[in-house]
């Protein structure tokens, strides 16, 4: 089973940058990792309320939500078993509870930002962007 743990959240100003980290364990040779966000006011526990932000497959292919394209970058350091989300030019709309997700198979990118595609989840980290 895959285990995930996030870190790096915090409170920043609009326009600032922030990098989230997610340490992983239990991954197999083929996997898909992703970052999701629960917007303010939504329930953190609800799978359906989690919005896909970015996904990364073991073969290096990525997918981003339209709202973050050009500003966010998903990457990984395999040696450190860590997934990253580099967030630049943050906007107030980026605020939310960010959760790392994983699946132990090669996922079609067409569904890589859909929360029901994932079985493994971290506990999440809060990101607050003030205007």
């Amino acid at each position: 089973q895959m285990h995930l743990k996030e870190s790096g959240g915090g409170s920043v100003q609009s326009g600032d940058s922030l990098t989230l980290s997610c340490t992983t364990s239990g991954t197999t040779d083929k996997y898909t990792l992703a970052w999701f966000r629960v917007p303010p006011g939504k329930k953190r526990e609800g799978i359906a309320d989690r919005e896909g932000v970015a996904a990364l497959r073991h073969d290096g292919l990525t997918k981003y939500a339209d709202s973050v394209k050009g500003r966010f970058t998903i990457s990984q350091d395999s040696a450190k078993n860590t997934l990253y989300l580099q967030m630049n030019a943050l906007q107030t709309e980026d605020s939310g509870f960010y959760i790392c997700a994983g699946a132990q198979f090669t996922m079609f990118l067409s569904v890589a930002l859909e929360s029901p595609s994932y079985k493994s989840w971290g506990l999440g980290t809060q990101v607050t962007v003030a205007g």
Side-chain angles (χ1 to χ4, degrees), residues 9-18 20 36-40 51-53 65-72 85-99 125-131:
S11 297
V12 296
Q13 295 294 314
S14 180
D16 285 351
S17 296
L18 195 65
L20 304 182
F36 283 78
R37 175 176 62 213
V38 181
E51 302 174 349
V53 175
D66 289 342
S67 62
V68 306
K69 283 181 181 177
R71 299 188 299 122
F72 289 15
L85 183 67
Q86 172 68 44
M87 305 184 291
N88 297 326
L90 281 163
Q91 305 166 357
T92 56
E93 305 86 79
D94 296 320
S95 294
F97 193 69
Y98 282 72
I99 310 174
T125 185
Q126 179 68 39
V127 172
T128 302
V129 184

Side-chain angles (χ1 to χ4, degrees), residues 59-115:
D59 56 7
L61 292 183
T62 58
K63 183 178 178 69
Y64 294 91
D66 289 342
S67 62
V68 306
K69 283 181 181 177
R71 299 188 299 122
F72 289 15
T73 302
I74 188 171
S75 64
Q76 67 173 349
D77 185 333
S78 299
K80 296 182 179 179
N81 293 320
T82 302
L83 178 75
Y84 300 100
L85 183 67
Q86 172 68 44
M87 305 184 291
N88 297 326
L90 281 163
Q91 305 166 357
T92 56
E93 305 86 79
D94 296 320
S95 294
F97 193 69
Y98 282 72
I99 310 174
C100 183
Q104 292 178 323
F105 59 92
T106 305
M107 190 178 297
F108 288 116
L109 288 179
S110 59
V111 297
L113 296 183
E114 298 179 9
S115 55

